[in-house]
Amino acid sequence: MQTIAVTTRSARLYIMIAAIALTLFPTLLAAQMDGQSVLLNNDWKFHQGDIDSGAVVQLDDSRWRTVNLPHDWSVENPLSPSLASATGYLPGGLGWYRKQIHIPAERRGQRLYIYFEGVYNNSEVFVNGHSIGKRPNGYVSFQYDLSDDVEFGAENVIAVKVDHSRYADSRWYTGSGIYRNVYLTYTNPIHIDLWGVSYVAKEVKPNQANLAIATKVKNVTEVKTEVTVAHELFLKGSETSLAKVEKKQTVAESSIIDVTQEMRVLTPKLWSVDDPNLYTLRTTVIQRGKVIDETSTTVGIRTLTFDANKGFALNGEWMKLKGVCIHHDAGVLGAAVPRQVWERRLKTLKTMGCNAIRMSHNPQASDVYDLCDELGLLVMDEAFDEWRHPKRKWLEGWNVGTPGFDGYAPHFEEWGEADLRDMVLRDRNHPSIILWSIGNEVDYPNDPYSHPVLDGATIGQKVYGGYQPERPDAMELGEIARRLVAVVKAHDTSRPVTAALAGVVMSNFTGYPEALDVAGYNYTENRYEEDHLAYPERIIYGSENRHDLNAWKAVRDNDYIFGQFLWTGIDYLGESGPWPSRGFHSGLLDFGGFIKPRGYYRQSLWTDQPMVYIGTHPLRRRGSQRTSIDAWPIWNYNSGDTIRVVSYTNCSDVQLFLDGQRLDIKANRDDENGVFYWDLPYQPGTLEGVAFRNGREVARHAIQTSRRPFKLNAYADRSVLSPGRDIAHMIIEVIDENGVPVMIADDLITCEIEGPAKLLGLESSNNTDMSDYTDHVHRAYHGRLLAYIETTGRTGKVKVKYSSPWLKPIEVELEVR
């Protein structure tokens, strides 16, 4: 059990937590009943469009397309200017999935469950023609019991209807379909319930920690029975037992019981950002000497402290959250994103100094949380973007035109508490998660709520007019927030509850911030000092922030502001501007997961390791000459052009060298964003920025003039892959005859593959390229493409050839074994 001490007199909320991660393969279920948790992703039949008989067992689906899950049908369709900008000009629609599964006769008497990590959206699941459940929310994970609807010893038909026909139901791209993993699990009639193991650490000290373990055991039989619940702890990757506990308990017929136990861990290795130490907890349920259920759980132990004056401490060490917001798509892959893609992206963000991730604005795939546990990234987990009333969804361009109002709001009263509960139950034991968020910008002024204070207040963000009494009354924000906070705390009290406030000036009159443990401020850094003085007990941080230096200074220079989350960490589909625009492109990384110039700028603010980056842009002939944080590393201009060279660095001095010769020109410093810059006439060659600390060179970065495109170069992040749907990221570059990348090249590149692998997509990372992303041909952007290569189940050699008109091709060989 955690310790929460609220000391009003000192305006301090301490939440000292030692959380234990539950990563139940991947969300629920590790090996229940002799390891019979089966990934049910392959060889589904798919039909895009409605069909009256989609659930009928006798339906001939032989002409339906065969797909593997995860699957997102929206991203497979053409982009069109006639579609909503909110969705990235991609469609939704309605689709059906069907799969035949054989249930062995010897499984009779066991329980059978099907688990969906996420289906977008309005799903209905049928077994042998019978509807067994609906779930409107496209982001939550859910499970159904198939035991009474299947025929053992026979073929059974699972059908899933996905109704995303009201496709402009979000302010960003959602995807459509069964876009996350599906599992089939056999269990004993007496077994660990869904999300049934949870942990909290108490009295965490250097010499020991006490773990309070709760296990829900479910008995679906009509006979009460005695079971033993046993736990054994190991360091992750080790088989040396560190601690054991076990307890006998009687489980009544047709009931679920909580079995509570305590385990002492000596000299615990704490989970932290720099050292994400993890354990494995092996849990078994034993009946009459036989193991009837077993699961392994990833465990991390750490403490959290939140303080209204001092900010945030992890394991007693005060620190700043250097966070980014992310959405759940990956460009050409849409919402069906493999784990390996997330791993590459998150590792890249961490190299830039990022230490925190906001799951905006919904629960993400379990892989993402698992990776944050493993890599040492702090997480703000978020449930909703709207509550009882809908927000505007832009159909013609971003923040223009006539909006739509489809969305989650119509389902909130019936499903909101259940969806929030299930997010908490599924994710509550990840050590990476430090905050539960119950909402994002639900208090945006007049979108949807209004209040008389809007007639005279300065919000610091666009407001749709003054007080509008016909709009929903903002006073209900406090009431709904209190209800949602109670839901969270009924299932987890080991973390504070927060929300991202868009209209804090208005919300201060509603009781909404007071319902929260921690208050997030979106784009209202100007309110930090004023509200800290006015509400000294309030714990404040930046839940969504721009990339400018002043927004970071507000965190860096004030102890009581413990962090920020930039909008955004990675470019994402949807929330697009006027056509052509695939999505919102303010990310530190582009659609393909490559670091953009502003990513290096952020690295210069967030990291201590010496770094320097140089980029360029032409000077405008007229008007102010602002120094950009988006200067690309290009050194190809016309002779005599005056070029602004900018440098992002965390060092005290930077000098320029051209072809090895130091340029006798002093760097200027832009006070607005803190970057060095020089204005100089262009000369071809190799331009280097060399950074110094205390007069000693510590880092350098070079850009080089390229000649005309001559050939292609390609390389993969991995040359040896496993057969089972493994992923290689392959980078294709246009280079000149000397091997210098041609950053300004946009050649059309074709990919051809031989062997046991296939192309998932070619990503150019070009926000304005609205061409077909489903074929094997695409145009380079900034002289580069990214290819996602996936193995198909067999072993052998894979040959990947890239070609382009007038350029020398290249062939890369991979091995699958």
Side-chain angles (χ1 to χ4, degrees), residues 710-726:
F710 179 71
K711 61 181 179 179
L712 297 176
N713 184 42
Y715 55 93
D717 60 343
R718 300 159 63 208
S719 59
V720 179
L721 305 174
S722 61
R725 300 187 68 181
D726 203 356

Side-chain angles (χ1 to χ4, degrees), residues 768-789:
T768 61
D769 184 347
M770 312 299 279
S771 61
D772 188 355
Y773 280 81
T774 64
D775 58 15
H776 285 234
V777 181
H778 212 83
R779 195 168 291 280
Y781 180 62
H782 284 142
R784 180 174 62 195
L785 275 182
L786 172 68
Y788 295 104
I789 310 295

Side-chain angles (χ1 to χ4, degrees), residues 781-799:
Y781 180 62
H782 284 142
R784 180 174 62 195
L785 275 182
L786 172 68
Y788 295 104
I789 310 295
E790 182 184 63
T791 57
T792 56
R794 295 178 290 112
T795 59
K797 300 289 186 181
V798 176
K799 294 181 179 180

Side-chain angles (χ1 to χ4, degrees), residues 659-799:
D659 291 335
Q661 299 296 312
R662 183 177 177 276
L663 299 181
D664 189 19
I665 178 172
K666 183 176 175 58
N668 299 292
R669 189 81 174 198
D670 188 325
D671 292 334
E672 184 175 344
N673 54 30
V675 307
F676 291 106
Y677 71 93
W678 304 259
D679 296 335
L680 61 146
Y682 170 72
Q683 297 180 55
T686 299
L687 186 69
E688 285 186 288
V690 182
F692 296 83
R693 283 184 178 174
N694 300 318
R696 183 173 63 88
E697 179 187 332
V698 291
R700 64 171 56 208
H701 177 234
I703 57 178
Q704 190 172 355
T705 304
S706 62
R707 298 185 179 183
R708 292 182 178 276
F710 179 71
K711 61 181 179 179
L712 297 176
N713 184 42
Y715 55 93
D717 60 343
R718 300 159 63 208
S719 59
V720 179
L721 305 174
S722 61
R725 300 187 68 181
D726 203 356
I727 298 287
H729 296 82
M730 193 169 289
I731 293 92
I732 309 101
E733 296 177 319
V734 179
I735 59 177
D736 68 12
E737 57 188 296
N738 297 318
V740 177
V742 184
M743 284 284 295
I744 58 175
D746 64 350
D747 296 81
L748 195 67
I749 298 173
T750 299
C751 173
E752 300 172 89
I753 299 178
E754 296 180 8
K758 66 179 181 179
L759 179 68
L760 285 185
L762 292 171
E763 179 57 68
S764 69
S765 299
N766 185 353
N767 187 53
T768 61
D769 184 347
M770 312 299 279
S771 61
D772 188 355
Y773 280 81
T774 64
D775 58 15
H776 285 234
V777 181
H778 212 83
R779 195 168 291 280
Y781 180 62
H782 284 142
R784 180 174 62 195
L785 275 182
L786 172 68
Y788 295 104
I789 310 295
E790 182 184 63
T791 57
T792 56
R794 295 178 290 112
T795 59
K797 300 289 186 181
V798 176
K799 294 181 179 180

Side-chain angles (χ1 to χ4, degrees), residues 318 339 431 532 697 717 805:
W318 299 102
R339 176 189 170 96
H532 178 58
E697 179 187 332
D717 60 343

Side-chain angles (χ1 to χ4, degrees), residues 202-210 264-268 270:
K202 305 183 298 182
E203 303 167 3
V204 178
K205 300 174 183 177
N207 61 330
Q208 73 173 49
N210 295 323
R264 179 179 297 178
V265 183
L266 299 178
T267 58
L270 300 187

Side-chain angles (χ1 to χ4, degrees), residues 180 326-328 342 359-360 362-366 368-369 426:
R180 294 181 187 164
I326 62 170
H327 276 308
H328 70 300
W342 277 119
M359 305 297 188
S360 47
N362 45 261
Q364 306 270 345
S366 299
V368 184
Y369 301 89
R426 190 195 74 168

Side-chain angles (χ1 to χ4, degrees), residues 15 58 69 87 280 318 364 443 462 561 590 719 759 792:
I15 301 179
Q58 295 79 14
L69 307 181
T87 71
T280 298
W318 299 102
Q364 306 270 345
D443 63 334
K462 185 176 180 180
I561 304 298
D590 62 24
S719 59
L759 179 68
T792 56

